[in-house]
Amino acid sequence: MERVTKLASEKPVVIFSKSSCCMSHTIKTLFYDLGVYPTIYELDEIPGGCEIEQTLLRLGCNPSVPAVFIGGELVGGANKIMSLHLNRSLIPMLRQVGALWV
């Protein structure tokens, strides 16, 4: 839990992902298209990725990826991020944490 908390709080936007996950790719693309460049941890490519994935599941991420943290707080997965984007709440959140300036 400590490792996830530490990693998630180091940058304004952090995404835990898997390189083979199409929903992770979609969420990363959304952020890039908005002009946000999150820190991304590919759990299938980093040491300890399996342990991080188990921690994300314990935190309530189901499926475990993508897991998006904004301002060090777990926001949710793909469904939550897309819902926030569609109801126009995502951009204000990103501005609040300094991830987006426009």
Side-chain angles (χ1 to χ4, degrees):
M1 182 82 78
E2 288 178 33
R3 182 172 181 204
V4 169
T5 303
K6 181 180 182 309
L7 292 172
S9 63
E10 289 178 346
K11 298 290 182 175
V13 180
V14 175
I15 301 174
F16 292 96
S17 172
K18 284 190 177 177
S19 60
S20 60
C21 174
C22 64
M23 292 311 294
S24 292
H25 175 76
T26 300
I27 295 304
K28 290 183 283 189
T29 301
L30 170 65
F31 280 101
Y32 294 144
D33 287 348
L34 293 173
V36 175
Y37 296 91
T39 297
I40 298 170
Y41 295 101
E42 299 289 358
L43 300 183
D44 55 342
E45 296 177 356
I46 62 171
C50 290
E51 291 82 10
I52 292 173
E53 184 172 9
Q54 292 304 312
T55 300
L56 294 170
L57 288 168
R58 284 194 299 276
L59 288 172
C61 299
N62 191 12
S64 60
V65 294
V68 179
F69 289 75
I70 298 176
E73 299 293 322
L74 174 61
V75 176
N79 287 341
K80 180 66 175 181
I81 296 301
M82 292 307 292
S83 294
L84 289 169
H85 180 57
L86 292 173
N87 73 25
R88 299 176 187 208
S89 300
L90 182 60
I91 289 176
M93 289 176 74
L94 296 169
R95 284 189 182 131
Q96 185 176 5
V97 300
L100 190 62
W101 297 277
V102 179

